[in-house]
Amino acid sequence: MRRTRNVKVVATLGPASDTHEMISALHAAGADVFRLNMSHGSHNEIRIKHKIIRQIEKETGSTIGILADLQGPKLRVGVFSGDSEQLVEGASFRLDLDEAEGNASRVCLPHPEIFQALEPGASLLVNDGKIRLKVKDCGSDFADCEVVIGGVISNRKGVNVPDVVLPLAALSDKDRADLEFVCDLGVDWLALSFVQRPEDVLEARELSKGRAALLSKIEKPSAVARFDDILAVSDGIMVARGDLGVELPIQNVPPIQKRLVRKCRAAAKPVIVATQMLESMIESPMPTRAEVSDVATAIYEGADAVMLSAESAAGAYPIEAVRTMNNVATEVEMDPTYTQIIEASRTADRMTVADGIVAAAREIAETTNIKAICCFTQSGTTALLIARERPRVPIIALTPLAKTAGRLTLSWGTNCVLTERLERFKMAVVSAARAAREEGYAEPEDMVVVVAGVPFNVEGSTNILRVAPCDERLIFSADPE
């Protein structure tokens, strides 16, 4: 299904969007990638959603991406004897390992690793930062705190520890089981929650064994501090602004978002901007003006994708939310200012033959009447490099590997076409011309740029560029051999 925009739309599936009819409607409305949240739903429920998406792929002839989002280490308080308590500003409150029910003066925090890392003066945030505690004294099994911001604390509310790098295992036992399940199932992307250090990504890479591309979610200050190292070992990034906005001063989030998006673009790695993008559409068929501006800002920055969470998973208007995101993206990309901003923000260092080839392809396409840039790719790297250039013409990525096509669904402006394995460049040119015509990007009288690597079917060998007619007869007459 050809889109009239370059940025991709990710929609989370959930109770509001778990039927074939609804998932198909979300794809028709604009969803390019579906997110399966492993924090909710059994393995059997995830398997059913996965099967439906693959059925819709066959029915529509589209390539649809599937992103499985691991829960990550969730830190939560225990339970209270009355289910909740009111914490008053200035009062004392203890967190400890005692499993007894909590009260107004204490509650269990069943995570000894937190106590090992805490120091006096550290902050603890409860229930998305609505309650703030300051550590006054701590030991291996307790933390005596002062209530800085009070409020109602109830059973199993989440806890954030922004001031320290926690000695937590990167993947919980649940995450390991979920990872194995979804990799065997055949998802395209695996999102890692609460990444703190590059070693967290490397552990997941060892377990996944290349079966899925790895997307690191940046939602902790420690991840921001070590972002360059995390980016280097990740296949993509999600700017997850929910926990990031809890653990950092809220005004820090927009500049961090801009900085991370630009770094991902320079590295030719897909980046998703996520969390609360159209939050009001959980309950309303219309978004707020501020939310529309938020989505537009991410697109103007050059993000590869924008994501819906509860809006499409549990909201009352999932189709409207996807359609709104699609419409905002389409309108922004028609704005001449968008092109100016995108082209002014190209910052990539070009140091390889492949870098030069894709830059030349963009220059040729934008200075002549070229209809598309077609590339042949095994691993997806060539397509990602072309997408980094943010050309003004469509990108058609031809690959014999369904796995590569699925991973490229997150990449800006990239339209994937599955093709047979080829051994000669001339046949690659013919296949590119045919794909451009059949997918509606060009007519026989038009021209395309073809980028590939010789020898064929070797990763990382991008070294050839040709401007070719879309009329196959002209290709054969110009190069009869």
Side-chain angles (χ1 to χ4, degrees), residues 2 369-376 393-398 415-419 427-450 468-472 475:
R2 182 184 172 185
N369 191 28
I370 297 295
K371 296 299 181 181
I373 298 175
C374 305
C375 69
F376 285 80
V393 300
I395 304 166
I396 304 175
L398 297 101
N415 307 276
C416 301
V417 176
L418 285 171
T419 186
M427 293 313 300
V429 175
V430 171
S431 295
R434 190 173 298 159
R437 295 195 317 271
E438 291 177 353
E439 298 295 322
Y441 294 99
E443 299 296 331
E445 62 271 19
D446 292 324
M447 307 281 282
V448 293
V449 171
V450 183
C470 288
D471 188 333
E472 293 176 35
I475 298 173

Side-chain angles (χ1 to χ4, degrees), residues 71-370:
Q71 177 176 286
K74 285 286 187 181
L75 308 179
R76 300 183 184 278
V77 299
V79 299
F80 292 84
S81 57
D83 293 334
S84 66
E85 291 287 348
Q86 178 76 36
L87 299 189
V88 180
E89 183 178 331
S92 296
F93 191 74
R94 169 175 277 220
L95 300 166
D96 55 40
L97 295 177
D98 185 350
E99 296 181 0
E101 292 181 335
N103 52 44
S105 62
R106 61 152 299 278
V107 73
C108 179
L109 181 62
H111 303 284
E113 57 272 25
I114 294 182
F115 298 115
Q116 295 168 14
L118 284 180
E119 294 181 354
S123 293
L124 292 164
L125 309 176
V126 184
N127 192 15
D128 290 336
K130 294 181 177 67
I131 295 173
R132 182 180 292 267
L133 308 175
K134 185 175 182 179
V135 178
K136 307 301 287 185
D137 187 24
C138 55
S140 61
D141 59 356
F142 76 96
D144 286 330
C145 306
E146 177 188 351
V147 179
V148 178
I149 300 176
V152 175
I153 182 171
S154 55
N155 296 342
R156 300 187 180 89
K157 286 300 181 185
V159 178
N160 293 81
V161 190
D163 299 338
V164 295
V165 177
L166 297 174
L168 290 170
L171 300 169
S172 66
D173 291 342
K174 171 179 166 52
D175 292 330
R176 290 169 177 269
D178 288 345
L179 182 151
E180 193 62 31
F181 169 70
V182 296
C183 283
D184 282 347
L185 200 58
V187 301
D188 303 299
W189 284 89
L190 197 63
L192 310 177
S193 296
F194 301 109
V195 170
Q196 296 189 93
R197 54 185 85 80
E199 290 79 8
D200 297 345
V201 186
L202 294 174
E203 180 184 350
R205 191 171 296 284
E206 184 177 344
L207 292 171
S208 62
K209 298 180 175 63
R211 290 173 291 174
L214 300 184
L215 189 88
S216 293
K217 295 168 67 176
I218 306 301
E219 47 195 337
K220 294 187 73 63
S222 54
V224 176
R226 299 200 62 185
F227 181 72
D228 290 348
D229 295 332
I230 291 170
L231 177 61
V233 297
S234 303
D235 300 308
I237 294 292
M238 181 190 295
V239 185
R241 304 173 307 174
D243 278 271
L244 200 58
V246 172
E247 299 210 3
L248 285 167
I250 196 73
Q251 66 272 15
N252 291 12
V253 175
I256 288 172
Q257 174 178 314
K258 289 182 180 294
R259 192 162 68 247
L260 301 192
V261 168
R262 288 210 176 188
K263 287 188 174 188
C264 291
R265 284 184 57 193
K269 293 186 177 182
V271 55
I272 304 173
V273 176
T275 318
Q276 297 179 333
M277 300 212 83
L278 296 174
E279 186 82 354
S280 70
M281 292 195 76
I282 296 172
E283 298 177 347
S284 169
M286 288 290 292
T288 67
R289 276 62 172 167
E291 289 168 339
V292 170
S293 292
D294 181 41
V295 174
T297 295
I299 297 167
Y300 276 115
E301 288 167 357
D304 290 83
V306 285
M307 192 178 98
L308 296 166
S309 298
E311 302 96 327
S312 58
Y317 303 96
I319 295 173
E320 290 82 354
V322 170
R323 187 177 295 125
T324 296
M325 200 163 259
N326 177 81
N327 292 344
V328 172
T330 302
E331 192 67 27
V332 166
E333 293 183 6
M334 290 171 59
D335 179 10
T337 305
Y338 170 76
T339 303
Q340 294 169 9
I341 293 172
I342 291 297
E343 295 182 354
S345 58
R346 286 195 191 107
T347 58
D349 293 327
R350 299 186 178 94
M351 297 178 290
T352 67
V353 170
D355 291 334
I357 290 286
V358 299
R362 176 185 57 77
E363 289 281 359
I364 293 169
E366 292 179 356
T367 54
T368 59
N369 191 28
I370 297 295

